[in-house]
Every structure is written in C-alpha cells, then in structure tokens.
Amino acid sequence: MHAVITGANDGIGLETAKGLAKLGYNQTWLCRNLVKANNASREILLDFPSLRINIIQVNLASLASVKEAGLQVIALDQRVDVLLCNAGGTFSQYALSEDGVEMTMVVNYLSHFLLCHLLLDHLNPKARIVHVSSKANLKGKLSLEELKQCTAESDPKYYIMAAYRRSKLANVVYTKHSAELWSSREITVNCLHPGVVKTKIGHKSDRKLHQYAWALLSNLQGISVEEGAKTSIYLASNPSIASITGQYFDACTIAKANPISDDRTIQETLYSWSMGRIEKFM
Ligand SMILES: NC(=O)c1ccc[n+]([C@@H]2O[C@H](COP(=O)([O-])OP(=O)(O)OC[C@H]3O[C@@H](n4cnc5c(N)ncnc54)[C@H](OP(=O)(O)O)[C@@H]3O)[C@@H](O)[C@H]2O)c1
C-alpha cells in the first residue's frame, strides 16, 4: 500500500505517517522543508526498515511547485492508495500568492485541489482521498463574493480566522462535491476535524499576538498529536469505512459539517472557480 501525504514532516501529518508506517504503508511525503522531512523519515525507517519513504519538495503556496511535485509522484510509478491532503497553516496578514490567490486559500485548499486532479488517474481502485479540514468550517463563509475576495489586491477587513474558516469550509465543500463527481471511479473522498491538537501550527503565524493566542488555546484545550492523528489514520486505513464517501468526520465518527457544504450551487461555484485557477497546470 502506498500513501501520499502533504505536510508529513511535522505535527498531525508526521504522527499520521508513523501510524500508517505501523500498518505497513510505503509513503511519499510532499514537504517544503527537506531537512525536517529527512530527519523525521529517518526515525520512522529505524523502526520500519523495510518500508520505502520517498520525499518530494513542494511549496503548496505555488501551483507551479505543486504541479512539479505531482509529476514527480507520477514518475515514481507507484500507484496511490491514500492521498492525504494534510498540510495547512494560518496567515496573519492578507497576501496574494504568486498565482494571485489569497495565501490561506491556496495552501490549505487550492494546492490540494490541483494535487487531487493531477493524481486522479494514478490512484488504485479503492483508493482513499482524505482532506484534513477543521471544525473551523462550521463558522466559515463561502460564496461567489468570498471567492472574488480571494483574488482581490487587498482586503481591508482581512481576519486570520475568517480566512482559515473559509479555506477549511472549502475542503469540506470540495470533499462532498468530488465524492459525487468521482463516484463511478471506485474511490472514496472524506474529510475530518482532527481535534484541537497541540502542534506548532499557530506558532508559525507572523504576529506575536496570534502566536500567544494559539499557545493559550492549544495549552488549555489541546490534545496530543497521537490523539490528533487518530481520525486521519482511521479514514486512511480502516476497513470498516472502505465504501463511505463524501463525509465529514470528527473523532472517527461521521459528524455534521457546515450546511453550506451541501449546497450544490456553492459546490459548483467553488469547483469552477478552482478549475479556472488550476487549468494551466493540468
Ligand atoms: N492543530 C490543530 O489544532 C488543528 C485543528 C484543526 C485542523 N488542523 C489541520 O491539521 C493540518 C495539520 O496541521 P498541524 O496542526 O499538524 O500543523 P503543523 O504542525 O504546523 O503541520 C503543518 C504541516 O503543513 C506543512 N506546510 C505548511 N505550509 C506549507 C507549504 N506552503 N508548503 C508545504 N508544506 C506546508 C508544514 O510544513 P513545515 O514543517 O515546513 O512548516 C507542516 O508539515 C492542517 O491542515 C491544519 O489546518 C489542525
């Protein structure tokens, strides 16, 4: 079995990689920091020397980099059983990526949209696509107006959590829509909230205030990475959910996502907006 994981060198992604290694999955990690990735993979390979872990560098903020990484995965010629779209982050200030899209939306959502489309024909039958969303989706807003805002030169009303919620709602909307689109392909697409997990995600913000807020929240409410990786590992590997698709999970159980994610007009709007941004990379 072969799992492709974004952001596997740290936090929930790394813990999920360890869990999948225990289950015998060969892996391909798509990471931006090769030193961290090599060190982390070396530790896993000490415990599981017969496994193969390929490491491919990617900057998910750049669609050209995602395309290059996708081509490198294809060139490995190892079909994919699990595509775990895990990497993510928060951005304290409004900024556009080199492709002219708001950074949170690109890193957390659009890069993974492109990756899924690049690898779609390289998935094994019964493959699982898993998107790591967040409970933040429940308070997210998504509409044509919101999407137009994602490509505007500036956003005077920009707020770090609103951008994060929007990107995490996009993960859920895309999960539900693509599960249906690809229902004849014998693959599943699901998404999840991992819990509030004590990782460094909030320490990577570029404002001290946001770092303190995350330190407080994660120390007061956070669960361990071992706990936080459980739902990802479950969705990637548990036989009991092999045919469940288009669902949002919390604590290894199907949960209610933001009702916007069931709105077909929003699903189609997000899909065609996303296609418009990635088509030159397909
Ligand atoms: N922690 C929580 O409480 C929580 C709650 C709900 C959802 N989530 C979601 O869980 C996922 C994992 O987050 P985490 O908490 O484990 O955070 P984390 O420890 O910061 O790990 C995030 C991973 O994503 C990678 N990444 C970020 N930006 C990237 C980019 N531009 N290109 C390539 N890789 C990039 C990071 O790489 P570097 O190591 O180079 O930074 C890291 O490997 C995210 O999608 C997050 O939104 C987390």
Side-chain angles (χ1 to χ4, degrees), residues 198-236:
K198 280 184 198 160
T199 67
K200 298 186 213 81
I201 189 165
H203 301 305
K204 295 173 188 173
S205 302
D206 47 7
R207 282 221 183 127
K208 283 269 177 280
L209 176 66
H210 295 149
Q211 294 176 14
Y212 290 140
W214 173 247
L216 197 65
L217 175 72
S218 60
N219 280 321
L220 286 177
Q221 294 186 13
I223 56 174
S224 66
V225 275
E226 290 81 0
E227 277 298 311
K230 279 187 179 166
T231 307
S232 293
I233 296 168
Y234 177 77
L235 288 187

Side-chain angles (χ1 to χ4, degrees), residues 9 12 32 36 59-60 86 133 164 168 195 197 199 204:
N9 64 303
I12 298 163
R32 68 176 158 188
K36 266 169 86 173
N59 176 8
L60 295 171
N86 160 80
S133 174
Y164 184 71
K168 291 293 158 180
V197 189
T199 67
K204 295 173 188 173

Side-chain angles (χ1 to χ4, degrees), residues 70-99:
L71 292 179
Q72 287 185 49
V73 174
I74 293 166
L76 293 170
D77 208 18
Q78 296 168 34
R79 290 182 86 83
V80 178
D81 298 289
V82 173
L83 174 52
L84 182 58
C85 299
N86 160 80
T90 54
F91 294 83
S92 296
Q93 297 176 57
Y94 187 84
L96 292 180
S97 70
E98 66 186 32
D99 305 290

Side-chain angles (χ1 to χ4, degrees), residues 161-199:
M161 283 313 293
Y164 184 71
R165 288 171 191 145
R166 179 170 64 197
S167 70
K168 291 293 158 180
L169 175 55
N171 292 147
V172 185
V173 173
Y174 178 49
T175 295
K176 295 197 177 192
H177 190 49
S178 57
E180 205 167 310
L181 272 181
W182 300 332
S183 57
S184 59
R185 282 184 177 256
E186 260 198 283
I187 60 170
T188 62
V189 192
N190 290 297
C191 62
L192 69 115
H193 170 58
V196 175
V197 189
K198 280 184 198 160
T199 67

